[in-house]
């Protein structure tokens, strides 16, 4: 009996010591924590659909990603937990990764450096760049308990969206530049519109916070390279296209210059004609006013004009009256 009570006392002392020694914990400023009791997190009222995160989900996905809201422990401490409770800490700081990084197979995609994709014209290209992401504090249930490997899910989701965007990408028409579009080589459109592609990726990946509890803060695609086998041919095509575009621009500039010169010449001739017509109009107005003055005004005016001509004439020929 004494041995039994001794074992019971020792076990009780051990549990009390373990609770006091291992029961206290702290949460760092860049961390959030969730406590589970016998594997179940303390839940709050509502679900993901009651938060603004649901606005980025499509109607077909809203019923698939309903995650409960759970109690999140903020930074600070020390906090206390019971032996049957477990603390799950997550780092919510922004992290970066290569867009070719595969968490489950790090050697894939040339060691996580280059991601392969196919363009609209069936050209196999290599894409390089980075993405920034952070764990969504408002949807920690999805990150901790919703999926087995949320980072792998997010990277797979990002890569699938990126490959879909590259395969269907069409550059917006630019009628202001006057530059000729090179049909059939979509890699040129992708290179010229990297900023637009990054913005489309940010827009299409906003639902990752509601899906996996990870926020894709931004994507930065820095390079799109063709296969080495056709790199030279593509460079030659681009060079020829640039030369043709340059010649077209020069010819268009010369044509615009000739049109402007013709327009100015027409304006000058019009002004000269108006200058010649204006004295005639003025003389007609004077004669009309003289005619209204009386029947002798016009003959008097003609006599004065004739006398002025006689003064300036060197020789006068008068026809003899028969």
């Amino acid at each position: 009996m004494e041995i039994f009570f001794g074992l019971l006392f020792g076990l009780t002392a051990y549990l009390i010591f373990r609770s006091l020694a291992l029961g206290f914990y702290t949460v760092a400023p860049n961390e959030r924590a969730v406590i589970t009791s016998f594997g179940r997190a303390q839940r709050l009222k509502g679900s993901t659909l009651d938060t603004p995160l649901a606005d980025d989900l499509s109607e077909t996905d809203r019923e698939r990603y309903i995650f409960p809201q759970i109690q999140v422990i903020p930074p600070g401490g020390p906090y206390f937990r019971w032996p049957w409770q477990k603390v799950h800490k997550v780092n919510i700081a922004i992290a970066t990764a290569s867009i070719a990084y595969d968490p489950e197979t790090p050697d894939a995609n040339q060691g996580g450096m280059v991601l392969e994709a196919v363009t609209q014209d069936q050209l196999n290209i290599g894409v390089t760049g980075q993405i920034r992401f952070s764990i969504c504090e408002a949807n920690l249930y999805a990150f901790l308990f919703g999926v087995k490997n949320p980072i792998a899910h997010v990277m797979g989701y990002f890569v699938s969206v990126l490959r879909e965007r590259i395969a269907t990408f069409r550059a917006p028409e630019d009628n202001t530049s006057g530059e000729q579009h090179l049909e059939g080589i979509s890699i040129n459109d992708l290179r010229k519109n990297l900023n637009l592609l990054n913005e489309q990726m940010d827009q299409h990946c906003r639902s990752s916070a509601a899906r996996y509890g990870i926020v894709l803060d931004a994507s930065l695609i820095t390079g799109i390279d063709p296969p080495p086998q056709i790199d030279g041919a593509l460079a030659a095509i681009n060079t020829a296209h640039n030369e043709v575009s340059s010649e077209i621009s020069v010819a268009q500039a010369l044509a615009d210059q000739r049109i402007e010169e013709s327009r100015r010449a027409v304006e000058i001739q019009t002004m000269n004609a108006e200058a010649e017509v204006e004295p005639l109009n003025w003389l007609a107005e004077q004669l009309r006013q003289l005619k209204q003055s009386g029947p002798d005004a016009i003959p008097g005016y003609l006599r004065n004009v004739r006398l002025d001509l006689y003064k300036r004439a060197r020789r006068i020929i008068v026809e003899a009256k028969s």
Side-chain angles (χ1 to χ4, degrees):
M1 185 61 70
E2 293 179 356
I3 296 175
F4 174 74
F5 282 110
L7 292 175
L8 182 61
F9 177 78
L11 180 61
T12 304
Y14 172 75
L15 293 176
I16 294 174
F17 172 77
R18 182 179 174 84
S19 299
L20 294 177
L22 304 177
F24 292 97
Y25 65 95
T26 59
V27 180
N30 61 332
E31 291 180 339
R32 300 294 184 270
V34 174
I35 287 184
T36 56
S37 300
F38 299 107
R40 180 182 176 84
Q42 183 179 0
R43 302 191 179 191
L44 304 176
K45 295 180 62 178
S47 65
T48 310
L49 300 183
D50 300 323
T51 65
L53 299 177
D55 297 339
D56 299 322
L57 286 174
S58 62
E59 291 297 329
T60 56
D61 293 337
R62 291 177 67 88
E63 300 300 328
R64 297 175 54 193
Y65 297 99
I66 302 177
F67 296 110
Q69 295 293 292
I70 57 177
Q71 182 69 42
V72 179
I73 300 176
Y79 299 104
F80 179 77
R81 69 171 180 86
W82 294 105
W84 56 85
Q85 292 181 328
K86 183 178 180 180
V87 180
H88 302 267
K89 295 182 181 180
V90 293
N91 190 345
I92 63 170
I94 296 177
T96 61
S98 171
I99 61 174
Y101 172 63
D102 189 340
E104 296 183 341
T105 310
D107 295 335
N109 300 327
Q110 301 182 21
M113 299 303 296
V114 179
L115 178 68
E116 293 185 352
V118 179
T119 62
Q120 190 177 14
D121 50 351
Q122 306 301 317
L123 183 63
N124 193 13
I125 63 174
V127 184
T128 57
Q130 291 183 333
I131 62 170
R132 293 189 303 179
F133 61 91
S134 62
I135 298 173
C136 180
E137 184 179 349
N139 197 15
L140 285 181
Y141 187 93
F143 178 78
L144 292 173
F145 314 111
V147 292
K148 184 177 181 181
N149 191 346
I151 301 297
H153 276 74
V154 167
M155 291 303 299
Y157 175 71
F158 177 83
V159 170
S160 63
V161 173
L162 177 60
R163 283 175 171 163
E164 188 271 339
R165 293 306 309 164
I166 290 176
T168 59
F169 184 82
R170 293 187 66 86
E173 295 183 0
D174 187 7
N175 298 325
T176 58
S177 63
E179 186 177 353
Q180 299 294 321
H181 182 69
L182 190 58
E183 296 288 347
I185 303 181
S186 56
I187 188 174
N188 291 332
D189 297 335
L190 291 169
R191 283 175 165 174
K192 290 190 298 184
N193 297 277
L194 276 181
N195 189 33
L196 176 61
L197 182 62
N198 288 325
E199 292 178 355
Q200 291 179 352
M201 289 301 302
D202 294 341
Q203 182 178 0
H204 283 78
C205 293
R206 285 177 182 172
S207 61
S208 63
R211 290 169 177 262
Y212 312 116
I214 294 181
V215 180
L216 287 176
D217 186 62
S219 63
L220 179 61
I221 302 172
T222 56
I224 296 179
D225 301 319
Q229 297 83 357
I230 66 168
D231 194 11
L234 184 61
I237 293 174
N238 289 333
T239 302
H241 174 258
N242 293 334
E243 292 178 354
V244 172
S245 298
S246 177
E247 293 179 357
I248 292 175
S249 299
V250 172
Q252 187 173 3
L254 290 175
D256 293 341
Q257 183 179 1
R258 296 296 172 81
I259 292 173
E260 181 66 18
E261 291 176 354
S262 300
R263 188 179 63 82
R264 295 296 300 273
V266 170
E267 290 180 355
I268 292 173
Q269 294 299 328
T270 302
M271 293 175 64
N272 292 334
E274 291 177 354
E276 293 178 357
V277 170
E278 186 62 22
L280 298 177
N281 292 333
W282 178 81
L283 179 59
E285 180 64 20
Q286 292 294 322
L287 294 175
R288 187 182 63 81
Q289 293 178 2
L290 289 173
K291 186 177 180 181
Q292 294 177 355
S293 299
D296 298 333
I298 295 298
Y301 173 77
L302 293 176
R303 184 175 62 252
N304 294 333
V305 172
R306 189 179 298 112
L307 291 175
D308 184 62
L309 291 176
Y310 288 163
K311 290 179 181 178
R312 290 185 289 176
R314 295 182 179 178
R315 181 180 298 175
I316 299 174
I317 300 174
V318 179
E319 184 180 4
K321 294 183 179 179
S322 59

